Amino acid sequence: MPPVHLREERFVTSTALLIFGATIVASLIALYASPGLMERCLFRPYWLVRKKQYETLVTSGFVHADVPHLAFNMITFWFFAFPLERRIGGAAFAVLYFASLVLSDAGTYLKHRHDPAYASLGASGAISAVLFANIVYFPTQSLFIFPIPIPIPAPVFAVGYVAYTWYSSRQARGRINHDAHLGGALFGLLFVLLTDPGAYGALSRIFAG
């Protein structure tokens, strides 16, 4: 067993842990202590180029519309981000997470770039990228979600996750960026294909068998 101080160092320097903590803290501050922070972080496609608000492609991923929105994303993050980081490393995880935050907003930008009233927030794209990249590496993983008393296979959860958010995006309520989920999912799959194509071997064998 490694010395305690080495285990503690890995825990402290975990990229996923830093993102997890920063997202919770920033979201709660924006919700309860500083509404102005929420407004500054919102992603507004109309103003992205006009006012050069490029930082909002990232900052919008650290604030959430309400506690259930935050909890849903962070529970998904908790189950899938930490195993993925241990598999691919902290640096690769950071590239995946922040690149997906930015690139998953491409569809939202194209859809709403002429609408000055539209604004969105949430880590939807990045969470979806993490979820689908994790499934490539751990296709047999299952998870329990209260109050469902049976294990849910990760691929089934992923399909349900995207289906729910696709339906929610069609309802067009609130500022939650549901449109980013599909873009994030595709980027997560593409990221693994480009950085570790051999990881698809186990997944293909499961479907073939």
Side-chain angles (χ1 to χ4, degrees):
M1 180 179 293
V4 173
H5 70 276
L6 291 181
R7 295 202 306 272
E8 291 174 347
E9 182 179 358
R10 286 199 297 269
F11 180 77
V12 170
T13 57
S14 165
T15 301
L17 181 63
L18 293 173
I19 293 171
F20 183 75
T23 303
I24 292 174
V25 170
S27 294
L28 293 178
I29 290 174
L31 285 169
Y32 296 108
S34 178
L37 175 63
M38 179 86 71
E39 291 301 314
R40 290 193 297 273
C41 290
L42 289 172
F43 169 53
R44 296 180 172 87
Y46 183 83
W47 299 112
L48 180 68
V49 176
R50 289 174 174 86
K51 290 189 176 181
K52 296 182 172 56
Q53 295 180 348
Y54 304 119
E55 74 283 355
T56 62
L57 290 166
V58 173
T59 60
S60 60
F62 284 86
V63 291
H64 288 76
D66 49 39
V67 171
H69 180 210
L70 173 65
F72 183 66
N73 271 349
M74 291 300 98
I75 288 171
T76 305
F77 186 98
W78 178 267
F79 277 115
F80 295 100
F82 294 104
L84 179 63
E85 182 190 30
R86 287 193 292 270
R87 180 62 180 266
I88 68 176
F93 182 87
V95 171
L96 167 65
Y97 194 86
F98 288 103
S100 59
L101 268 183
V102 174
L103 296 177
S104 64
D105 275 332
T108 305
Y109 172 77
L110 292 174
K111 182 178 179 180
H112 297 284
R113 66 188 185 278
H114 301 305
D115 181 2
Y118 179 84
S120 69
L121 77 178
S124 301
I127 299 294
S128 192
V130 167
L131 169 60
F132 278 80
N134 175 288
I135 288 172
V136 175
Y137 285 105
F138 308 104
T140 61
Q141 179 181 0
S142 296
L143 65 153
F144 286 89
I145 299 178
F146 182 83
I148 302 174
I150 58 175
I152 302 173
V156 173
F157 176 83
V159 171
Y161 181 80
V162 171
Y164 164 74
T165 54
W166 179 86
Y167 171 79
S168 298
S169 71
R170 304 283 75 77
Q171 308 310 303
R173 298 192 186 107
R175 292 174 165 178
I176 299 174
N177 190 0
H178 294 293
D179 290 323
H181 281 85
L182 181 58
L186 294 174
F187 181 78
L189 296 173
L190 179 62
F191 180 85
V192 178
L193 182 64
L194 293 176
T195 60
D196 189 10
Y200 277 90
L203 188 64
S204 61
R205 285 192 294 272
I206 287 176
F207 285 109

Coordinates of all heavy atoms in Angstrom, one line a residue, residues 9 27 56 58 60-61 63 65 124 137 165 180 204:
E9 N -1.7 13.2 -1.7 CA -1.3 14.1 -2.8 C -2.1 13.9 -4.0 O -2.6 14.8 -4.7 CB 0.2 13.9 -3.0 CG 0.7 14.9 -4.1 CD 2.2 14.6 -4.4 OE1 2.8 13.8 -3.7 OE2 2.7 15.3 -5.3
S27 N -21.7 27.5 -8.3 CA -23.2 27.4 -8.5 C -23.9 27.9 -7.3 O -24.9 28.7 -7.4 CB -23.6 26.0 -8.9 OG -23.1 25.6 -10.2
T56 N -17.3 33.1 -21.6 CA -18.6 32.6 -21.2 C -18.8 31.1 -21.7 O -19.6 30.4 -21.2 CB -19.8 33.4 -21.6 OG1 -19.9 33.5 -23.0 CG2 -19.7 34.8 -21.0
V58 N -16.8 28.9 -21.2 CA -16.3 28.1 -20.1 C -17.1 28.5 -18.8 O -17.6 27.6 -18.1 CB -14.8 28.3 -19.9 CG1 -14.3 27.6 -18.6 CG2 -14.1 27.8 -21.1
S60 N -20.0 29.6 -18.2 CA -21.4 29.1 -18.1 C -21.5 27.7 -17.6 O -22.5 27.3 -17.1 CB -22.0 29.3 -19.5 OG -21.4 28.5 -20.5
G61 N -20.4 26.9 -17.8 CA -20.4 25.5 -17.3 C -20.2 25.4 -15.8 O -20.3 24.3 -15.3
V63 N -22.0 27.3 -13.5 CA -23.1 27.8 -12.8 C -24.4 27.0 -13.3 O -24.4 26.5 -14.5 CB -23.4 29.3 -13.0 CG1 -22.3 30.1 -12.3 CG2 -23.4 29.7 -14.5
A65 N -28.9 26.4 -13.0 CA -30.2 27.1 -12.9 C -30.8 27.0 -11.5 O -31.4 27.9 -11.0 CB -31.2 26.6 -14.0
S124 N -23.7 20.9 -19.1 CA -24.3 19.8 -19.9 C -23.4 19.1 -20.9 O -23.3 17.9 -21.0 CB -25.6 20.4 -20.6 OG -26.5 20.9 -19.8
Y137 N -14.6 3.1 -22.1 CA -13.6 2.4 -21.3 C -14.3 1.4 -20.4 O -13.6 0.4 -20.1 CB -12.8 3.4 -20.5 CG -11.8 4.2 -21.3 CD1 -12.1 5.5 -21.7 CD2 -10.6 3.6 -21.7 CE1 -11.1 6.2 -22.4 CE2 -9.7 4.3 -22.5 CZ -9.9 5.6 -22.8 OH -9.0 6.3 -23.6
T165 N -32.7 14.7 -22.0 CA -32.2 16.1 -22.3 C -32.7 16.6 -23.7 O -32.9 17.7 -23.9 CB -30.7 16.2 -22.1 OG1 -30.1 15.3 -23.0 CG2 -30.3 16.0 -20.7
A180 N -26.6 21.2 -25.6 CA -25.2 20.8 -25.6 C -25.0 19.3 -25.3 O -23.9 18.9 -25.5 CB -24.5 21.7 -24.5
S204 N -16.7 -3.0 -28.8 CA -17.2 -3.7 -30.0 C -17.4 -5.1 -29.7 O -18.3 -5.8 -30.3 CB -16.2 -3.4 -31.1 OG -14.9 -4.0 -30.8

